[in-house]
Coordinates of all heavy atoms in Angstrom, one line a residue:
M1 N -4.0 4.7 -2.6 CA -2.8 5.2 -2.1 C -1.6 4.4 -2.6 O -0.6 5.0 -2.9 CB -2.8 5.2 -0.5 CG -3.7 6.2 0.1 SD -3.6 6.1 1.9 CE -2.1 7.0 2.2
N2 N -1.8 3.1 -2.6 CA -0.7 2.3 -3.1 C -0.3 2.6 -4.5 O 0.8 2.7 -4.9 CB -1.0 0.8 -2.9 CG -1.2 0.5 -1.4 OD1 -0.6 1.1 -0.5 ND2 -2.1 -0.4 -1.1
R3 N -1.3 2.7 -5.4 CA -1.1 3.0 -6.8 C -0.5 4.4 -7.0 O 0.3 4.6 -7.9 CB -2.4 2.8 -7.6 CG -2.8 1.4 -7.8 CD -4.0 1.3 -8.6 NE -4.4 -0.1 -8.7 CZ -5.5 -0.5 -9.3 NH1 -6.4 0.4 -9.8 NH2 -5.8 -1.8 -9.4
S4 N -0.9 5.3 -6.1 CA -0.4 6.6 -6.2 C 1.1 6.6 -5.9 O 1.9 7.3 -6.5 CB -1.1 7.5 -5.2 OG -0.5 8.8 -5.2
H5 N 1.5 5.8 -4.9 CA 3.0 5.7 -4.6 C 3.7 5.1 -5.8 O 4.8 5.6 -6.2 CB 3.2 4.9 -3.3 CG 4.7 4.8 -3.0 ND1 5.4 5.9 -2.5 CD2 5.6 3.9 -3.2 CE1 6.7 5.6 -2.4 NE2 6.8 4.4 -2.8
I6 N 3.2 4.0 -6.4 CA 3.8 3.4 -7.5 C 4.0 4.4 -8.6 O 5.0 4.5 -9.3 CB 3.0 2.2 -7.9 CG1 3.2 1.1 -6.9 CG2 3.5 1.6 -9.3 CD1 2.2 -0.1 -7.0
S7 N 2.9 5.2 -8.9 CA 3.0 6.2 -9.9 C 4.0 7.3 -9.6 O 4.8 7.6 -10.5 CB 1.6 6.9 -10.0 OG 1.6 8.0 -10.9
C8 N 4.1 7.7 -8.4 CA 5.1 8.7 -8.0 C 6.5 8.1 -8.2 O 7.4 8.8 -8.7 CB 5.0 9.2 -6.6 SG 3.6 10.2 -6.3
R9 N 6.7 6.9 -7.9 CA 8.0 6.2 -8.0 C 8.4 6.0 -9.4 O 9.5 6.2 -9.8 CB 8.0 4.9 -7.2 CG 9.3 4.1 -7.2 CD 9.2 2.8 -6.6 NE 8.3 1.9 -7.3 CZ 7.5 1.0 -6.8 NH1 7.4 0.9 -5.5 NH2 6.8 0.2 -7.6
E10 N 7.4 5.4 -10.2 CA 7.8 5.0 -11.6 C 7.6 6.0 -12.7 O 8.4 6.2 -13.5 CB 7.0 3.7 -11.9 CG 7.4 2.5 -11.0 CD 6.6 1.3 -11.2 OE1 5.8 1.2 -12.2 OE2 6.8 0.3 -10.5
M11 N 6.5 6.7 -12.6 CA 6.2 7.7 -13.7 C 6.9 9.0 -13.4 O 7.4 9.7 -14.4 CB 4.7 7.9 -13.8 CG 4.0 6.7 -14.3 SD 2.2 6.9 -14.5 CE 2.1 8.2 -15.7
Y12 N 6.8 9.5 -12.2 CA 7.4 10.8 -11.9 C 8.8 10.8 -11.3 O 9.4 11.8 -11.1 CB 6.4 11.6 -11.0 CG 5.1 11.9 -11.7 CD1 4.0 11.1 -11.4 CD2 5.0 12.9 -12.6 CE1 2.8 11.3 -12.1 CE2 3.8 13.1 -13.3 CZ 2.7 12.3 -13.0 OH 1.5 12.5 -13.7
E13 N 9.2 9.6 -10.9 CA 10.6 9.4 -10.3 C 10.9 10.3 -9.2 O 12.0 10.9 -9.1 CB 11.6 9.5 -11.4 CG 11.4 8.5 -12.5 CD 12.4 8.6 -13.7 OE1 13.1 9.6 -13.8 OE2 12.5 7.7 -14.5
C14 N 9.9 10.5 -8.3 CA 10.1 11.4 -7.2 C 10.1 10.7 -5.8 O 10.0 11.3 -4.8 CB 9.0 12.5 -7.2 SG 7.3 11.9 -6.9
S15 N 10.4 9.4 -5.9 CA 10.6 8.7 -4.7 C 12.1 8.4 -4.5 O 12.9 8.9 -5.3 CB 9.8 7.3 -4.7 OG 9.8 6.7 -3.4
C16 N 12.4 7.6 -3.5 CA 13.8 7.2 -3.3 C 13.8 5.9 -2.6 O 12.7 5.5 -2.1 CB 14.6 8.3 -2.5 SG 14.0 8.5 -0.8
P17 N 14.9 5.2 -2.5 CA 14.9 3.8 -1.9 C 14.4 3.8 -0.5 O 13.7 2.9 0.0 CB 16.4 3.4 -2.0 CG 16.9 4.2 -3.2 CD 16.2 5.5 -3.2
E18 N 14.8 4.9 0.3 CA 14.3 4.9 1.7 C 12.8 5.0 1.8 O 12.2 4.4 2.7 CB 15.0 6.1 2.4 CG 16.5 6.0 2.6 CD 17.3 6.4 1.4 OE1 16.7 6.8 0.4 OE2 18.5 6.3 1.5
L19 N 12.2 5.9 1.0 CA 10.7 6.0 1.0 C 10.1 4.7 0.5 O 9.1 4.3 1.1 CB 10.3 7.2 0.1 CG 10.4 8.6 0.7 CD1 10.0 9.6 -0.4 CD2 9.4 8.7 1.9
D20 N 10.6 4.1 -0.5 CA 10.1 2.8 -1.0 C 10.1 1.8 0.1 O 9.2 1.0 0.3 CB 10.8 2.4 -2.2 CG 10.6 3.3 -3.4 OD1 9.6 4.1 -3.4 OD2 11.5 3.3 -4.3
R21 N 11.3 1.7 0.8 CA 11.4 0.8 1.9 C 10.4 1.1 3.0 O 9.8 0.1 3.6 CB 12.8 0.8 2.4 CG 13.1 -0.2 3.6 CD 14.5 -0.3 3.9 NE 14.7 -1.3 5.0 CZ 14.9 -0.9 6.2 NH1 15.1 0.4 6.5 NH2 15.0 -1.8 7.2
L22 N 10.2 2.3 3.4 CA 9.3 2.7 4.4 C 7.9 2.3 4.1 O 7.1 1.8 4.9 CB 9.4 4.2 4.8 CG 8.6 4.6 6.0 CD1 8.8 3.8 7.2 CD2 8.9 6.1 6.2
V23 N 7.5 2.6 2.8 CA 6.2 2.2 2.4 C 6.0 0.7 2.5 O 4.9 0.2 2.9 CB 5.9 2.7 0.9 CG1 4.7 2.1 0.3 CG2 5.7 4.2 0.9
D24 N 6.9 0.0 2.0 CA 6.9 -1.5 2.1 C 6.7 -2.0 3.6 O 5.9 -2.8 3.9 CB 8.1 -2.2 1.5 CG 8.1 -2.1 0.0 OD1 7.0 -1.9 -0.6 OD2 9.1 -2.3 -0.6
I25 N 7.5 -1.4 4.5 CA 7.4 -1.7 5.9 C 6.0 -1.4 6.4 O 5.4 -2.2 7.1 CB 8.5 -1.0 6.7 CG1 9.9 -1.6 6.4 CG2 8.2 -1.0 8.2 CD1 11.0 -0.7 6.9
C26 N 5.5 -0.3 6.1 CA 4.2 0.1 6.5 C 3.1 -0.8 6.0 O 2.2 -1.2 6.8 CB 3.9 1.6 6.1 SG 4.9 2.8 7.0
L27 N 3.2 -1.2 4.8 CA 2.2 -2.1 4.2 C 2.3 -3.5 4.9 O 1.2 -4.1 5.3 CB 2.3 -2.3 2.7 CG 2.0 -1.0 1.9 CD1 2.4 -1.2 0.5 CD2 0.5 -0.7 2.1
H28 N 3.5 -4.0 5.2 CA 3.6 -5.3 5.8 C 3.3 -5.2 7.3 O 3.0 -6.2 7.9 CB 5.1 -5.8 5.7 CG 5.3 -6.3 4.3 ND1 5.9 -5.6 3.3 CD2 5.0 -7.5 3.7 CE1 6.0 -6.3 2.2 NE2 5.4 -7.5 2.4
A29 N 3.3 -4.0 7.9 CA 3.0 -3.8 9.3 C 1.5 -3.6 9.5 O 1.0 -3.5 10.7 CB 3.7 -2.6 9.8
G30 N 0.7 -3.6 8.5 CA -0.8 -3.6 8.6 C -1.5 -2.4 8.0 O -2.7 -2.2 8.2
A31 N -0.8 -1.5 7.3 CA -1.4 -0.3 6.7 C -2.3 -0.8 5.5 O -1.9 -1.7 4.8 CB -0.4 0.7 6.2
I32 N -3.4 -0.2 5.4 CA -4.3 -0.5 4.2 C -3.7 0.2 3.0 O -3.8 -0.4 1.9 CB -5.7 0.0 4.5 CG1 -6.3 -0.7 5.7 CG2 -6.6 -0.1 3.3 CD1 -7.6 -0.1 6.2
G33 N -3.1 1.3 3.2 CA -2.5 2.1 2.1 C -1.4 2.9 2.6 O -1.4 3.3 3.8
S34 N -0.4 3.1 1.8 CA 0.8 3.9 2.2 C 1.4 4.6 1.0 O 1.4 3.9 -0.1 CB 1.8 3.0 2.9 OG 2.8 3.8 3.5
R35 N 1.9 5.8 1.1 CA 2.5 6.5 0.0 C 3.4 7.6 0.5 O 3.2 8.0 1.6 CB 1.4 7.0 -1.0 CG 0.6 8.2 -0.4 CD -0.3 8.8 -1.4 NE 0.4 9.3 -2.5 CZ 0.6 10.6 -2.7 NH1 0.2 11.5 -1.9 NH2 1.3 11.0 -3.8
L36 N 4.2 8.0 -0.4 CA 5.0 9.2 -0.1 C 4.1 10.4 0.0 O 3.0 10.4 -0.6 CB 6.2 9.4 -1.1 CG 5.8 9.8 -2.6 CD1 5.5 11.2 -2.7 CD2 7.0 9.4 -3.4
T37 N 4.5 11.4 0.7 CA 3.7 12.7 0.8 C 4.7 13.8 0.8 O 5.9 13.6 1.1 CB 2.8 12.7 2.0 OG1 1.9 13.8 1.9 CG2 3.5 12.7 3.3
G38 N 4.3 15.0 0.5 CA 5.2 16.1 0.4 C 5.8 16.1 -0.9 O 5.2 15.7 -1.9
A39 N 7.0 16.5 -1.0 CA 7.7 16.7 -2.3 C 8.4 15.4 -2.7 O 8.9 15.3 -3.8 CB 8.8 17.8 -2.2
G40 N 8.4 14.4 -1.8 CA 9.2 13.1 -2.2 C 10.7 13.4 -2.0 O 11.1 14.2 -1.2
W41 N 11.5 12.6 -2.8 CA 12.9 12.7 -2.7 C 13.4 12.7 -1.3 O 14.3 13.5 -0.9 CB 13.4 14.0 -3.4 CG 13.1 13.9 -4.9 CD1 13.7 13.1 -5.8 CD2 12.1 14.7 -5.6 NE1 13.1 13.3 -7.0 CE2 12.1 14.3 -6.9 CE3 11.2 15.6 -5.2 CZ2 11.3 14.8 -7.9 CZ3 10.3 16.1 -6.2 CH2 10.4 15.7 -7.5
G42 N 12.9 11.8 -0.5 CA 13.4 11.7 0.9 C 12.5 12.3 1.9 O 12.9 12.5 3.1
G43 N 11.3 12.6 1.6 CA 10.4 13.3 2.5 C 9.7 12.3 3.5 O 10.4 11.7 4.3
C44 N 8.4 12.2 3.4 CA 7.6 11.5 4.4 C 6.7 10.5 3.7 O 6.4 10.6 2.5 CB 6.8 12.5 5.2 SG 7.7 13.7 6.0
T45 N 6.1 9.6 4.5 CA 5.0 8.8 4.1 C 3.8 9.0 4.9 O 3.9 9.5 6.1 CB 5.4 7.3 4.1 OG1 5.6 6.9 5.5 CG2 6.6 7.0 3.3
V46 N 2.7 8.7 4.4 CA 1.4 8.7 5.1 C 0.8 7.4 4.9 O 0.8 6.8 3.8 CB 0.5 9.9 4.7 CG1 0.1 9.8 3.2 CG2 -0.7 10.0 5.5
S47 N 0.2 6.8 5.9 CA -0.4 5.5 5.8 C -1.8 5.5 6.5 O -2.0 6.1 7.5 CB 0.5 4.4 6.6 OG 1.8 4.4 6.0
M48 N -2.7 4.7 5.9 CA -4.0 4.5 6.5 C -3.9 3.2 7.3 O -3.6 2.1 6.7 CB -5.1 4.4 5.5 CG -5.4 5.7 4.9 SD -6.9 5.6 3.8 CE -6.5 4.3 2.7
V49 N -4.2 3.2 8.6 CA -4.1 2.0 9.5 C -5.4 1.9 10.3 O -5.8 2.9 10.9 CB -2.9 2.2 10.4 CG1 -2.8 1.0 11.3 CG2 -1.6 2.4 9.6
P50 N -6.0 0.7 10.3 CA -7.2 0.5 11.2 C -6.8 0.8 12.6 O -5.7 0.4 13.1 CB -7.5 -0.9 11.0 CG -6.9 -1.3 9.6 CD -5.7 -0.5 9.5
T51 N -7.7 1.4 13.4 CA -7.4 1.8 14.8 C -7.0 0.6 15.6 O -6.1 0.7 16.4 CB -8.7 2.4 15.4 OG1 -9.1 3.5 14.5 CG2 -8.5 2.9 16.8
D52 N -7.6 -0.6 15.4 CA -7.3 -1.7 16.2 C -5.9 -2.3 15.9 O -5.4 -3.1 16.7 CB -8.3 -2.8 16.1 CG -8.5 -3.4 14.7 OD1 -8.2 -2.6 13.7 OD2 -8.9 -4.5 14.5
R53 N -5.3 -1.8 14.9 CA -3.9 -2.3 14.5 C -2.8 -1.2 14.8 O -1.7 -1.4 14.5 CB -3.8 -2.7 13.0 CG -4.7 -3.8 12.7 CD -4.4 -4.2 11.2 NE -5.4 -5.1 10.7 CZ -5.6 -5.3 9.4 NH1 -4.7 -4.8 8.5 NH2 -6.5 -6.2 9.0
L54 N -3.3 -0.1 15.2 CA -2.4 1.1 15.3 C -1.1 0.9 16.2 O 0.0 1.1 15.8 CB -3.1 2.3 15.8 CG -2.3 3.6 15.9 CD1 -1.7 4.0 14.5 CD2 -3.1 4.7 16.4
N55 N -1.3 0.4 17.4 CA -0.2 0.2 18.3 C 0.8 -0.8 17.7 O 2.0 -0.6 17.8 CB -0.6 -0.2 19.7 CG -1.3 0.9 20.4 OD1 -1.1 2.1 20.1 ND2 -2.2 0.6 21.3
A56 N 0.3 -1.9 17.2 CA 1.2 -2.9 16.6 C 1.9 -2.3 15.4 O 3.1 -2.6 15.1 CB 0.5 -4.2 16.2
F57 N 1.2 -1.6 14.6 CA 1.8 -0.9 13.4 C 2.9 0.0 13.8 O 4.0 -0.1 13.2 CB 0.7 -0.1 12.7 CG 1.2 0.8 11.6 CD1 1.5 0.3 10.3 CD2 1.5 2.1 11.8 CE1 2.0 1.1 9.3 CE2 2.0 2.9 10.8 CZ 2.2 2.4 9.6
L58 N 2.7 0.9 14.8 CA 3.7 1.8 15.2 C 5.0 1.1 15.7 O 6.1 1.5 15.4 CB 3.2 2.8 16.2 CG 2.1 3.8 15.8 CD1 1.5 4.5 16.9 CD2 2.7 4.8 14.8
E59 N 4.7 0.1 16.5 CA 5.9 -0.7 17.0 C 6.7 -1.4 15.9 O 7.9 -1.4 15.9 CB 5.4 -1.7 18.1 CG 6.5 -2.4 18.8 CD 7.4 -1.4 19.6 OE1 7.0 -0.3 20.0 OE2 8.6 -1.8 19.7
T60 N 6.0 -2.0 15.0 CA 6.6 -2.7 13.9 C 7.5 -1.7 13.0 O 8.6 -2.0 12.7 CB 5.6 -3.4 13.0 OG1 4.9 -4.4 13.8 CG2 6.3 -4.1 11.8
V61 N 6.9 -0.5 12.7 CA 7.6 0.5 11.9 C 8.8 1.0 12.7 O 9.9 1.1 12.2 CB 6.7 1.6 11.5 CG1 7.5 2.8 10.9 CG2 5.6 1.1 10.6
R62 N 8.6 1.2 14.0 CA 9.7 1.7 14.9 C 10.9 0.7 14.8 O 12.0 1.1 14.6 CB 9.2 1.8 16.3 CG 10.2 2.3 17.3 CD 9.7 2.6 18.7 NE 8.8 3.7 18.6 CZ 7.4 3.7 18.8 NH1 6.8 2.6 19.0 NH2 6.7 4.8 18.7
K63 N 10.6 -0.6 15.0 CA 11.6 -1.6 15.0 C 12.3 -1.8 13.6 O 13.5 -1.9 13.5 CB 11.1 -2.9 15.5 CG 10.8 -3.0 17.0 CD 10.3 -4.3 17.4 CE 10.0 -4.3 18.9 NZ 9.3 -5.6 19.3
A64 N 11.4 -1.9 12.6 CA 11.9 -2.2 11.2 C 12.6 -1.0 10.6 O 13.6 -1.2 9.8 CB 10.8 -2.7 10.4
Y65 N 12.2 0.2 10.8 CA 12.8 1.3 10.1 C 13.7 2.2 11.0 O 14.8 2.5 10.6 CB 11.6 2.2 9.5 CG 12.2 3.2 8.5 CD1 12.6 2.9 7.3 CD2 12.3 4.6 8.9 CE1 13.1 3.8 6.4 CE2 12.8 5.5 8.1 CZ 13.2 5.1 6.8 OH 13.7 6.1 5.9
Y66 N 13.2 2.5 12.1 CA 13.9 3.5 12.9 C 15.1 2.9 13.7 O 16.2 3.4 13.8 CB 13.0 4.3 13.9 CG 12.2 5.3 13.1 CD1 10.9 4.9 12.6 CD2 12.7 6.5 12.8 CE1 10.2 5.8 11.9 CE2 11.9 7.4 12.1 CZ 10.7 7.1 11.6 OH 10.0 8.0 10.9
Q67 N 14.8 1.7 14.3 CA 15.9 1.1 15.2 C 17.0 0.5 14.4 O 18.1 0.2 14.9 CB 15.3 0.1 16.1 CG 14.5 0.8 17.2 CD 13.9 -0.2 18.2 OE1 14.0 -1.4 18.1 NE2 13.3 0.4 19.2
S68 N 16.9 0.4 13.0 CA 17.9 -0.1 12.2 C 19.0 0.9 11.8 O 20.0 0.6 11.2 CB 17.3 -0.7 10.9 OG 16.8 0.3 10.1
D69 N 18.8 2.2 12.2 CA 19.7 3.2 11.8 C 19.8 4.3 12.9 O 18.7 4.8 13.3 CB 19.2 3.9 10.5 CG 20.1 5.0 10.0 OD1 20.0 6.1 10.5 OD2 20.8 4.7 9.0
A70 N 21.0 4.6 13.3 CA 21.2 5.5 14.5 C 20.6 6.9 14.2 O 20.0 7.6 15.1 CB 22.6 5.6 14.8
Q71 N 20.8 7.4 13.0 CA 20.3 8.8 12.6 C 18.8 8.8 12.7 O 18.2 9.7 13.2 CB 20.8 9.2 11.3 CG 22.2 9.6 11.3 CD 22.7 10.1 9.9 OE1 22.3 9.5 8.9 NE2 23.4 11.2 9.8
R72 N 18.1 7.7 12.1 CA 16.7 7.7 12.2 C 16.2 7.5 13.6 O 15.2 8.1 13.9 CB 16.2 6.5 11.3 CG 16.4 6.6 9.9 CD 15.8 5.5 9.2 NE 16.4 5.3 7.8 CZ 16.7 4.2 7.2 NH1 16.4 3.1 7.8 NH2 17.2 4.2 6.0
L73 N 16.9 6.7 14.4 CA 16.4 6.5 15.8 C 16.4 7.8 16.5 O 15.5 8.0 17.3 CB 17.4 5.5 16.4 CG 17.0 5.0 17.8 CD1 15.6 4.3 17.8 CD2 18.1 4.1 18.4
A74 N 17.3 8.7 16.3 CA 17.3 10.0 17.0 C 16.1 10.9 16.6 O 15.7 11.7 17.3 CB 18.6 10.7 16.6
L75 N 15.6 10.6 15.4 CA 14.4 11.4 14.9 C 13.1 10.8 15.1 O 12.1 11.4 14.9 CB 14.6 11.7 13.4 CG 15.9 12.4 13.0 CD1 16.0 12.4 11.5 CD2 15.9 13.8 13.6
Q76 N 13.0 9.6 15.6 CA 11.7 8.8 15.6 C 10.6 9.5 16.5 O 9.5 9.5 16.1 CB 11.9 7.4 16.1 CG 11.9 7.2 17.5 CD 11.9 5.7 17.9 OE1 12.0 4.8 17.1 NE2 11.8 5.5 19.2
N77 N 11.0 10.2 17.6 CA 10.0 10.8 18.4 C 9.2 11.9 17.7 O 8.0 12.2 18.0 CB 10.5 11.3 19.7 CG 10.9 10.2 20.6 OD1 10.4 9.1 20.5 ND2 11.9 10.5 21.5
N78 N 9.9 12.6 16.8 CA 9.2 13.7 16.0 C 8.8 13.2 14.6 O 8.2 14.0 13.9 CB 10.2 14.8 15.8 CG 10.5 15.5 17.1 OD1 9.7 15.6 18.0 ND2 11.8 15.9 17.3
S79 N 9.1 12.0 14.3 CA 8.8 11.5 12.9 C 7.7 10.4 12.8 O 7.1 10.2 11.7 CB 10.1 11.0 12.3 OG 11.1 11.9 12.2
L80 N 7.5 9.7 13.9 CA 6.6 8.6 13.8 C 5.4 8.9 14.8 O 5.6 8.9 16.0 CB 7.3 7.3 14.2 CG 6.4 6.0 14.2 CD1 5.9 5.7 12.8 CD2 7.2 4.8 14.7
F81 N 4.2 9.2 14.2 CA 3.1 9.5 15.1 C 1.8 9.2 14.4 O 1.8 9.0 13.2 CB 3.2 11.0 15.5 CG 3.2 11.9 14.3 CD1 2.1 12.4 13.7 CD2 4.5 12.3 13.8 CE1 2.2 13.3 12.6 CE2 4.6 13.2 12.7 CZ 3.4 13.7 12.1
A82 N 0.7 9.1 15.1 CA -0.6 8.9 14.6 C -1.5 10.1 14.7 O -1.3 10.9 15.6 CB -1.2 7.7 15.3
T83 N -2.3 10.3 13.7 CA -3.3 11.3 13.7 C -4.6 10.7 13.3 O -4.7 9.6 12.7 CB -2.9 12.5 12.8 OG1 -2.9 12.0 11.4 CG2 -1.6 13.1 13.2
K84 N -5.7 11.5 13.5 CA -7.0 11.1 13.0 C -7.4 12.0 11.8 O -7.1 13.2 11.9 CB -8.1 11.2 14.1 CG -7.9 10.2 15.2 CD -9.1 10.3 16.2 CE -8.9 9.2 17.2 NZ -10.1 9.3 18.2
P85 N -8.1 11.4 10.8 CA -8.5 12.3 9.7 C -9.5 13.3 10.2 O -10.3 13.0 11.1 CB -9.1 11.3 8.7 CG -9.3 10.1 9.4 CD -8.5 10.1 10.7
G86 N -9.4 14.5 9.7 CA -10.4 15.6 10.0 C -11.4 15.7 8.9 O -11.5 14.9 7.9
R87 N -12.2 16.7 9.0 CA -13.3 17.0 8.1 C -12.7 17.5 6.8 O -13.4 17.6 5.8 CB -14.3 17.9 8.7 CG -15.1 17.3 9.8 CD -16.1 18.3 10.4 NE -16.9 18.7 9.3 CZ -17.8 19.7 9.4 NH1 -17.9 20.4 10.5 NH2 -18.5 20.1 8.4
G88 N -11.5 18.0 6.7 CA -11.0 18.6 5.5 C -11.2 20.1 5.5 O -11.7 20.7 6.4
A89 N -10.9 20.7 4.4 CA -11.1 22.1 4.2 C -12.5 22.5 4.0 O -13.3 21.7 3.4 CB -10.2 22.6 3.0
L90 N -12.9 23.7 4.4 CA -14.2 24.2 4.2 C -14.1 25.5 3.5 O -13.2 26.3 3.7 CB -15.0 24.4 5.6 CG -15.2 23.1 6.4 CD1 -15.8 23.5 7.7 CD2 -16.1 22.2 5.7
V91 N -15.1 25.8 2.7 CA -15.2 27.1 2.1 C -16.5 27.8 2.5 O -17.6 27.2 2.4 CB -15.2 27.0 0.5 CG1 -15.4 28.3 -0.1 CG2 -13.9 26.3 0.1
F92 N -16.4 29.0 3.1 CA -17.6 29.7 3.5 C -17.9 30.8 2.5 O -17.0 31.6 2.1 CB -17.3 30.4 4.9 CG -17.2 29.4 6.0 CD1 -16.0 29.0 6.4 CD2 -18.3 28.8 6.6 CE1 -15.8 28.0 7.5 CE2 -18.2 27.9 7.6 CZ -17.0 27.5 8.0
V93 N -19.0 30.8 2.0 CA -19.5 31.8 1.0 C -20.6 32.6 1.6 O -21.6 32.1 2.1 CB -20.0 31.1 -0.3 CG1 -20.4 32.1 -1.3 CG2 -18.9 30.1 -0.9
E94 N -20.3 33.9 1.6 CA -21.3 34.8 2.1 C -22.3 35.1 1.0 O -22.0 35.4 -0.1 CB -20.7 36.1 2.6 CG -19.8 35.9 3.8 CD -19.3 37.2 4.4 OE1 -20.1 38.2 4.4 OE2 -18.2 37.2 4.8
A95 N -23.6 35.1 1.4 CA -24.7 35.4 0.4 C -25.0 36.8 0.3 O -24.8 37.6 1.1 CB -25.9 34.6 0.8

């Protein structure tokens, strides 16, 4: 994930300073990996975080990224959340 973000930032130039800062904050907050997701250019990040570090991770990101900017702070409830990975896509083939 980390190398993918670097590739998006350096080779494809589809990151931005805000995304780079958020990825750095996430990595310092305990994420194992973090990268931009979606189209980039100011989109979102996705991070892998061990379950036992999740609450501290969310609080650190909230303080370091969202509380430093009034516009971000207004969006944090819809922007900062945890999910669990699912099984992924399935393809059903009828015989």
Side-chain angles (χ1 to χ4, degrees):
M1 286 183 81
N2 299 330
R3 287 183 180 174
S4 176
H5 181 75
I6 292 167
S7 172
C8 287
R9 181 184 69 217
E10 294 178 7
M11 293 178 66
Y12 296 100
E13 299 177 348
C14 62
S15 191
C16 66
E18 292 84 358
L19 279 173
D20 296 339
R21 181 168 178 258
L22 184 54
V23 166
D24 287 341
I25 289 168
C26 290
L27 291 172
H28 285 99
I32 295 169
S34 189
R35 68 173 301 254
L36 65 82
T37 188
W41 296 288
C44 303
T45 62
V46 61
S47 300
M48 288 190 305
V49 180
T51 305
D52 62 332
R53 296 184 194 169
L54 181 59
N55 290 333
F57 171 83
L58 291 171
E59 188 59 28
T60 300
V61 173
R62 182 175 289 111
K63 287 179 181 176
Y65 190 75
Y66 288 94
Q67 289 184 354
S68 66
D69 182 281
Q71 285 183 315
R72 290 183 200 142
L73 188 59
L75 300 172
Q76 85 173 6
N77 289 337
N78 295 322
S79 301
L80 181 62
F81 55 90
T83 63
K84 290 184 178 183
R87 292 181 54 192
L90 298 174
V91 177
F92 293 98
V93 180
E94 292 186 38

